Structure formats: structure tokens, C-alpha cells
Amino acid sequence: MEMKDYLRNMTRLCDLTLTDEMINRFSIFYEMLIETNKSLNLTAITEMKEVVLKHFIDSIMVSKYFDFSKGSVIDVGTGAGFPGIPLAILFPNTEFVLLDSLKKRLHFIDQVLEQCGMNHVTLIHGRAEDYGRDEKYRERFDYCVSRAVASLPVLLELCTPFVKVGGNFISYKSDKLEDELQQSKNALSILKCSLNQEIPYQIPDTDYSRVLATFDKKSKLGKKYPRQAGKPKKSPL
Ligand code: SAM
């Protein structure tokens, strides 16, 4: 089966509706991911159905619960563009910022954006800890999303500084979340955030269970955070 047909079928199974333009953009992204991955380490997942399910569908399931058409989104540690690029394909009128410390991966995403004709996405190269202190990005986004970047206590310090008061941080996790939540109590208190929801979901055609942990930013963050680059991982809050 062709990638486009498989993607269309799987999104329908999840009650997600994609336009032809969206499907075409996913197809461009897919072809470029597979081709570039031959020379640059972008993903270990390369089989067509797995890319559709574990990268594309996993990235966009969040759109059933959050309407990103209103507001701005930052993806911290986007890597080869997940979940940022699939979400930007679904929400072409929303401002997206994709951040990563690996320049080669951002260069790949830049080429994807050009081929797809998408100009509502900005790429920034560097550490989340540094940009989280930069007035241009600090507490400026309605939503921060992040997948497969760090454990929750570390991730909260990397991500929540970007979120406006009243905004949300959404962490894509596997279904084994309880321990990480237990270990995040201190971080949540220091970072002025609280757990809002745990949203479990199933990836179709697999026995793959995932969960979105969503957090509310309750008030402004103290100047001390995030700490300098490397510190959140070395000594989590
Ligand atoms: N989010 C993508 C995904 O789900 O496929 C990529 C996951 S990859 C395992 C983690 C990415 O986070 C890498 O590309 C790495 O460069 C980036 N990263 C890790 N720590 C970071 C930090 N402190 N600031 C910026 N990027 C970071």
C-alpha cells in the first residue's frame, strides 16, 4: 500500500481528518526523511507503516485534545521534526518554533519546510536552557510540546520557561509515567506548574500505548530558572 493511502486510513481510524494538501506535505516529509536518513542519523524507524504510526500519528493525536489553531507553539528538542512538523502541517496558520541543539537536524527540517512551502515555522539552534532565559522566547508561548528528550523532572525545567502564564506544557510519554510524576513534585512547585491531565491513547494497528502529560503554568517563573545549560540533567530539581 502507498504511504498516502495508509496515512489516510490510519488517521480516519483515529477520527482525524487530513486535507489532500496535508497528506501531500506528509508525503514530502516522509520521502525526505527516508532519503536523508541514509546519510544522516535522523531516526531508527524507517519502515513505512512504522513511520506513519510511531512518528506521524503519534505526533498528531494531541490535536484531538488541543486546538493549536489559536496560539503559538514551541517544540523543544524537535530532532528530525517530531512532533513539530506534523503539528505544523495540521495547523498551517499557527506560529511554530522548533528548537534543537543539533544543527544538522535543523538543516534537514529547513529543507523540508522549503519543499513543503511552509513559512509559519521558525527554527532555532541551541540549548533550551539558554533560550529559556532569552526575553524573546521566555514565557511567550501558549503551548510547549516535547517528545523523547529527557525525564520529566529535567524536561519540566527545559520546557516550562517558554510557556506563558495560563499556557500549557504537553509532554509526550510512554504509558509508564507514574514514577516520573512522583519524581517531579519538587520541580513542579519550583517552576510554578501543576499537572492538568494524563491523556492515554493507543496507536492504531499496534499494541503501542502512549500518554500525554499536560501541565498548567500558574504564575511567572523566578529569574533563577532555567539553570545553566547541562545543570537540569546533571542535578534535576
Ligand atoms: N523530539 C524528537 C522525536 O521525538 O523524535 C527527537 C528526540 S531525540 C531522542 C532528542 C533531541 O533533543 C535531540 O535531537 C537533541 O539534540 C535534543 N536535545 C536534548 N537536550 C536538549 C537541550 N537541552 N536543548 C535543546 N535540544 C536538546
Side-chain angles (χ1 to χ4, degrees):
M1 189 187 289
E2 248 201 71
M3 179 268 168
K4 287 186 183 183
D5 294 325
Y6 188 66
L7 176 62
R8 202 174 271 114
N9 291 347
M10 289 302 114
T11 46
R12 279 198 191 124
L13 258 185
C14 303
D15 285 328
L16 293 164
T17 311
L18 302 192
T19 63
D20 287 344
E21 183 175 46
M22 290 172 187
I23 298 267
N24 284 336
R25 285 178 166 166
F26 273 110
S27 172
I28 292 169
F29 185 24
Y30 170 72
E31 297 294 341
M32 291 181 75
L33 183 72
I34 298 303
E35 191 50 39
T36 311
N37 202 47
K38 291 175 185 163
S39 54
L40 180 68
N41 178 20
L42 293 172
T43 177
I45 297 171
T46 52
E47 195 268 323
M48 183 275 279
K49 290 185 177 180
E50 289 217 10
V51 173
V52 167
L53 297 169
K54 294 186 175 175
H55 279 327
F56 295 167
I57 302 271
D58 185 42
S59 292
I60 63 176
M61 283 293 272
V62 66
S63 68
K64 288 168 69 104
Y65 311 100
F66 288 87
D67 178 9
F68 296 122
S69 63
K70 298 175 193 79
S72 49
V73 182
I74 183 166
D75 178 11
V76 171
T78 191
F82 301 108
I85 292 293
L87 290 177
I89 291 174
L90 255 66
F91 296 95
N93 298 313
T94 297
E95 179 203 352
F96 280 85
V97 171
L98 275 47
L99 163 79
D100 204 282
S101 53
L102 273 184
K103 201 167 193 166
K104 283 184 180 173
R105 291 185 177 155
L106 291 180
H107 179 65
F108 161 72
I109 299 175
D110 198 30
Q111 291 177 319
V112 171
L113 293 172
E114 197 184 318
Q115 288 300 314
C116 289
M118 287 161 64
N119 53 20
H120 61 298
V121 182
T122 305
L123 305 180
I124 52 176
H125 171 232
R127 302 284 297 243
E129 296 93 319
D130 297 327
Y131 280 105
R133 302 186 75 89
D134 182 334
E135 287 307 314
K136 202 170 158 211
Y137 299 97
R138 184 179 173 88
E139 300 190 322
R140 209 183 64 72
F141 294 88
D142 296 284
Y143 302 99
C144 175
V145 294
S146 188
R147 189 184 83 157
V149 173
S151 67
L152 205 46
V154 178
L155 201 58
L156 285 163
E157 188 172 356
L158 299 182
C159 292
T160 61
F162 294 105
V163 181
K164 281 179 189 168
V165 174
N168 295 109
F169 166 49
I170 303 165
S171 172
Y172 289 59
K173 287 284 179 185
S174 75
D175 59 352
K176 297 177 197 76
L177 186 64
E178 292 316 310
D179 284 353
E180 285 191 55
L181 279 173
Q182 280 299 326
Q183 287 154 17
S184 298
K185 286 188 174 156
N186 190 42
L188 285 171
S189 153
I190 290 172
L191 298 165
K192 317 282 186 205
C193 291
S194 63
L195 177 69
N196 179 335
Q197 286 187 83
E198 290 172 64
I199 306 172
Y201 61 98
Q202 201 74 30
I203 302 290
D205 228 9
T206 67
D207 53 4
Y208 201 47
S209 297
R210 305 274 298 153
V211 62
L212 298 168
T214 76
F215 300 87
D216 293 328
K217 173 88 163 240
K218 293 186 298 186
S219 53
K220 270 191 165 286
L221 178 60
K223 285 214 172 353
K224 215 173 139 191
Y225 301 99
R227 292 167 294 166
Q228 71 186 58
K231 196 93 197 241
K233 192 171 175 196
K234 206 169 159 202
S235 61
L237 291 173

